[in-house]
Amino acid sequence: MSQTSEANGANGADENADGAQPTINILTQYIKDLSFEAPNAPGILRGQPRGPSINIGVNVGANALNDADGDFDVRLTLNASAGEGADRLFHVELEYGGVFRLQNFPQEHLLPMLFIECPRLLFPFARQVIADVTRNGGFPPLMIDPIDFAKLFQQRMAEEQARQQVQTS
Protein backbone atom coordinates (compact mmCIF):
# COMPACT_ATOMS: atom_id res chain seq x y z
CA MET A 1 0.00 0.00 0.00
CA SER A 2 2.85 2.40 0.69
CA GLN A 3 4.14 1.67 -2.80
CA THR A 4 0.85 2.94 -4.24
CA SER A 5 1.01 6.24 -2.39
CA GLU A 6 4.67 6.67 -3.33
CA ALA A 7 3.83 5.91 -6.94
CA ASN A 8 1.02 8.48 -6.90
CA GLY A 9 3.38 11.10 -5.55
CA ALA A 10 6.02 10.23 -8.11
CA ASN A 11 3.47 10.47 -10.91
CA GLY A 12 2.57 14.00 -9.91
CA ALA A 13 -0.90 13.35 -8.43
CA ASP A 14 -2.53 16.56 -7.24
CA GLU A 15 -1.94 17.01 -3.53
CA ASN A 16 -2.13 20.10 -1.38
CA ALA A 17 0.61 21.25 0.99
CA ASP A 18 -0.62 18.80 3.66
CA GLY A 19 -0.34 15.91 1.22
CA ALA A 20 -4.13 15.40 1.15
CA GLN A 21 -5.78 14.53 -2.15
CA PRO A 22 -8.47 16.92 -3.45
CA THR A 23 -11.90 15.27 -3.28
CA ILE A 24 -15.33 16.09 -4.62
CA ASN A 25 -18.46 14.45 -3.21
CA ILE A 26 -22.07 14.90 -4.28
CA LEU A 27 -24.05 14.97 -1.04
CA THR A 28 -27.47 15.38 -2.63
CA GLN A 29 -29.23 16.38 -5.85
CA TYR A 30 -32.64 18.01 -6.11
CA ILE A 31 -35.15 19.82 -8.31
CA LYS A 32 -35.52 23.34 -6.92
CA ASP A 33 -37.99 24.54 -9.56
CA LEU A 34 -39.67 22.93 -12.55
CA SER A 35 -42.19 24.54 -14.88
CA PHE A 36 -43.71 23.18 -18.07
CA GLU A 37 -46.17 25.09 -20.22
CA ALA A 38 -47.89 24.00 -23.43
CA PRO A 39 -50.02 27.12 -24.01
CA ASN A 40 -51.71 25.86 -27.18
CA ALA A 41 -52.50 22.31 -26.04
CA PRO A 42 -54.42 20.25 -26.92
CA GLY A 43 -54.95 21.81 -30.38
CA ILE A 44 -51.23 22.06 -31.16
CA LEU A 45 -50.73 18.38 -30.33
CA ARG A 46 -52.87 17.28 -33.28
CA GLY A 47 -50.96 19.18 -35.95
CA GLN A 48 -47.42 19.65 -34.67
CA PRO A 49 -45.31 21.49 -37.23
CA ARG A 50 -42.08 19.77 -38.20
CA GLY A 51 -38.85 21.18 -36.89
CA PRO A 52 -39.89 24.10 -34.68
CA SER A 53 -37.13 26.45 -33.60
CA ILE A 54 -35.85 25.47 -30.18
CA ASN A 55 -34.13 28.02 -27.97
CA ILE A 56 -32.13 26.82 -24.98
CA GLY A 57 -30.69 28.94 -22.18
CA VAL A 58 -28.18 27.79 -19.58
CA ASN A 59 -27.03 29.39 -16.34
CA VAL A 60 -24.94 28.14 -13.42
CA GLY A 61 -24.92 29.53 -9.89
CA ALA A 62 -23.01 28.47 -6.78
CA ASN A 63 -23.14 29.44 -3.11
CA ALA A 64 -21.10 28.31 -0.14
CA LEU A 65 -23.23 26.55 2.47
CA ASN A 66 -20.72 26.12 5.25
CA ASP A 67 -17.14 27.22 4.64
CA ALA A 68 -15.77 24.96 7.36
CA ASP A 69 -17.04 21.83 5.61
CA GLY A 70 -16.38 22.97 2.04
CA ASP A 71 -20.04 22.44 1.11
CA PHE A 72 -21.45 24.31 -1.88
CA ASP A 73 -24.91 24.50 -3.43
CA VAL A 74 -24.52 24.46 -7.23
CA ARG A 75 -27.58 25.13 -9.38
CA LEU A 76 -27.93 24.48 -13.08
CA THR A 77 -30.78 26.41 -14.71
CA LEU A 78 -32.06 25.25 -18.10
CA ASN A 79 -34.75 27.03 -20.14
CA ALA A 80 -36.07 25.61 -23.38
CA SER A 81 -38.78 26.88 -25.73
CA ALA A 82 -40.06 25.24 -28.89
CA GLY A 83 -41.71 27.58 -31.36
CA GLU A 84 -42.49 31.26 -30.93
CA GLY A 85 -45.51 33.44 -30.23
CA ALA A 86 -48.86 31.93 -31.17
CA ASP A 87 -47.06 28.84 -32.54
CA ARG A 88 -45.26 28.06 -29.27
CA LEU A 89 -45.38 24.35 -28.59
CA PHE A 90 -43.92 24.39 -25.11
CA HIS A 91 -41.71 26.22 -22.65
CA VAL A 92 -39.87 24.38 -19.89
CA GLU A 93 -37.75 25.79 -17.07
CA LEU A 94 -35.70 23.68 -14.69
CA GLU A 95 -33.50 24.68 -11.78
CA TYR A 96 -31.61 21.54 -10.79
CA GLY A 97 -29.23 21.63 -7.86
CA GLY A 98 -26.66 19.61 -6.06
CA VAL A 99 -24.80 19.97 -2.80
CA PHE A 100 -21.12 19.27 -3.30
CA ARG A 101 -18.34 18.87 -0.74
CA LEU A 102 -15.03 20.09 -2.13
CA GLN A 103 -12.06 19.36 0.09
CA ASN A 104 -8.34 20.03 -0.25
CA PHE A 105 -8.64 22.10 -3.42
CA PRO A 106 -6.36 25.12 -3.79
CA GLN A 107 -8.35 28.37 -3.70
CA GLU A 108 -7.59 29.11 -7.38
CA HIS A 109 -9.25 25.81 -8.39
CA LEU A 110 -12.54 26.35 -6.53
CA LEU A 111 -14.30 28.51 -9.13
CA PRO A 112 -13.49 26.18 -12.05
CA MET A 113 -14.67 23.21 -9.98
CA LEU A 114 -17.92 24.96 -9.02
CA PHE A 115 -18.74 26.36 -12.46
CA ILE A 116 -17.33 23.64 -14.74
CA GLU A 117 -17.01 20.27 -13.03
CA CYS A 118 -20.05 20.39 -10.71
CA PRO A 119 -22.53 21.39 -13.45
CA ARG A 120 -20.96 18.79 -15.73
CA LEU A 121 -21.85 16.17 -13.12
CA LEU A 122 -25.42 17.52 -12.72
CA PHE A 123 -26.15 17.93 -16.44
CA PRO A 124 -27.10 14.31 -17.34
CA PHE A 125 -29.73 14.26 -14.59
CA ALA A 126 -31.16 17.66 -15.54
CA ARG A 127 -31.19 16.63 -19.20
CA GLN A 128 -33.22 13.54 -18.31
CA VAL A 129 -35.76 15.63 -16.35
CA ILE A 130 -36.23 17.92 -19.39
CA ALA A 131 -36.60 14.91 -21.72
CA ASP A 132 -39.15 13.26 -19.43
CA VAL A 133 -41.27 16.37 -18.89
CA THR A 134 -41.44 17.22 -22.60
CA ARG A 135 -42.36 13.61 -23.41
CA ASN A 136 -45.00 13.61 -20.66
CA GLY A 137 -46.32 16.87 -22.12
CA GLY A 138 -47.16 15.06 -25.36
CA PHE A 139 -44.08 16.01 -27.40
CA PRO A 140 -41.01 14.08 -28.50
CA PRO A 141 -38.46 14.12 -25.66
CA LEU A 142 -36.14 17.12 -25.87
CA MET A 143 -32.62 15.74 -25.70
CA ILE A 144 -30.36 18.71 -25.01
CA ASP A 145 -26.91 18.42 -26.59
CA PRO A 146 -23.93 18.28 -24.22
CA ILE A 147 -22.89 21.69 -22.89
CA ASP A 148 -19.32 23.00 -22.82
CA PHE A 149 -19.27 24.37 -19.27
CA ALA A 150 -15.59 25.34 -19.60
CA LYS A 151 -16.47 27.65 -22.49
CA LEU A 152 -19.40 29.14 -20.54
CA PHE A 153 -17.09 29.73 -17.57
CA GLN A 154 -14.47 31.44 -19.76
CA GLN A 155 -17.14 33.69 -21.29
CA ARG A 156 -18.45 34.57 -17.83
CA MET A 157 -14.95 35.41 -16.57
CA ALA A 158 -14.26 37.57 -19.66
CA GLU A 159 -17.55 39.46 -19.12
CA GLU A 160 -16.67 40.00 -15.46
CA GLN A 161 -13.21 41.34 -16.36
CA ALA A 162 -14.72 43.71 -18.95
CA ARG A 163 -17.26 44.93 -16.39
CA GLN A 164 -14.49 45.60 -13.84
CA GLN A 165 -12.44 47.51 -16.43
CA VAL A 166 -15.44 49.71 -17.25
CA GLN A 167 -16.03 50.42 -13.55
CA THR A 168 -12.39 51.40 -12.92
CA SER A 169 -12.23 53.67 -15.98
Side-chain angles (χ1 to χ4, degrees), residues 81-97:
S81 291
E84 295 181 14
D87 294 329
R88 175 163 284 161
L89 298 175
F90 65 81
H91 179 78
V92 61
E93 296 178 21
L94 172 65
E95 187 173 1
Y96 192 85

Side-chain angles (χ1 to χ4, degrees), residues 16 20-28 60-75 98-122:
N16 68 8
Q21 292 282 336
T23 60
I24 181 170
N25 299 96
I26 303 173
L27 303 180
T28 191
V60 177
N63 296 308
L65 293 178
N66 184 348
D67 290 329
D69 292 337
D71 293 352
F72 295 88
D73 177 35
V74 177
R75 279 171 279 136
V99 176
F100 293 83
R101 180 164 291 157
L102 302 175
Q103 296 179 313
N104 304 319
F105 281 95
Q107 188 66 31
E108 66 270 13
H109 292 230
L110 277 181
L111 284 179
M113 289 300 297
L114 292 171
F115 289 92
I116 299 171
E117 189 61 23
C118 293
R120 187 186 68 77
L121 293 170
L122 293 175

